[in-house]
Amino acid sequence: MRNLLISVLTICSLVFSLSASGQPQRKGSLTNYNEVLSNEFSEVGDFPPVQNAGILLIPVDSTPPMLRNAALYGTIGASVIGFVAGNIEFMVAQKPKGFFKAYSLRVGFGVQENFGGEGGILIGALNMLTGRKNSHFEVGLGWNLLFDEASLPLIAAGYRFQKPRGRFVFRTGVGLIEGVYVSLGTAF
């Protein structure tokens, strides 16, 4: 529908500019317009800007680029001794307005090691991202369930590099249990 509207506006703009320019035209015939249109548009959807009576028509896609719907990444952290986890994240909302542009649910399973030994950990969090392009500030709030101890809240803040519609995911930051962490993965 958008392309049809752009086509109609472009054709109307060309017709108006040809009739206002004083170039010779045949009455009752569209021969000149067809020649202009065939010369101007080499491919379907190829719409160059058209100058018409001081108005510049430029087709623009106003929808912001979105992040992919899911991401799979591994995290290595240095808290008390060490932390390793695998995570899967699903986007639940992406909004062009507001401070946070994307919201995702994260589930992970990992192993944390400290002075008392090592144990498994189950991670559940809501991640909130700012930024529309490649760089994002990321805040995570949730819960860490330690298999051999009590559960602890998850609080994390950091930097995330992920291009809109891109596959590569890089995260780094500071969080409870993870400590200082680095994550690498892919989005799909």
Side-chain angles (χ1 to χ4, degrees):
M1 183 69 176
R2 185 179 142 266
N3 287 341
L4 178 62
L5 179 62
I6 291 170
S7 300
V8 169
L9 288 174
T10 304
I11 291 170
C12 290
S13 175
L14 282 172
V15 167
F16 179 77
S17 65
L18 283 176
S19 62
S21 67
Q23 294 179 356
Q25 299 172 9
R26 296 181 202 163
K27 289 189 175 183
S29 171
L30 292 178
T31 306
N32 288 346
Y33 302 134
N34 289 335
E35 290 172 7
V36 169
L37 291 176
S38 65
N39 292 336
E40 288 289 324
F41 305 111
S42 57
E43 296 180 18
V44 174
D46 183 18
F47 298 102
V50 177
Q51 185 75 35
N52 178 11
I55 300 172
L56 182 63
L57 300 175
I58 302 174
V60 176
D61 187 7
S62 62
T63 58
M66 306 294 264
L67 296 173
R68 292 189 175 268
N69 290 332
L72 185 64
Y73 51 87
T75 302
I76 298 174
S79 57
V80 177
I81 296 291
F83 174 85
V84 176
N87 302 280
I88 187 159
E89 183 178 288
F90 298 98
M91 289 292 167
V92 291
Q94 295 191 49
K95 300 178 180 186
K97 295 183 181 179
F99 183 71
F100 291 112
K101 307 294 185 213
Y103 298 85
S104 65
L105 293 177
R106 168 184 164 202
V107 176
F109 176 77
V111 177
Q112 59 94 19
E113 183 178 338
N114 57 31
F115 295 114
E118 65 180 51
I121 185 169
L122 183 63
I123 303 162
L126 170 68
N127 285 348
M128 298 167 282
L129 304 171
T130 65
R132 292 184 188 165
K133 296 186 181 177
N134 302 339
S135 295
H136 308 275
F137 174 68
E138 179 178 53
V139 174
L141 300 172
W143 213 254
N144 292 310
L145 177 61
L146 307 173
F147 291 152
D148 58 352
E149 299 176 21
S151 58
L152 295 171
L154 181 144
I155 301 170
Y159 169 78
R160 179 180 186 132
F161 177 86
Q162 182 179 357
K163 292 181 180 180
R165 308 309 302 161
R167 295 203 180 271
F168 178 70
V169 176
F170 170 77
R171 301 171 62 240
T172 187
V174 175
L176 188 59
I177 300 290
E178 296 106 330
V180 177
Y181 64 86
V182 174
S183 299
L184 291 175
T186 185
F188 53 95

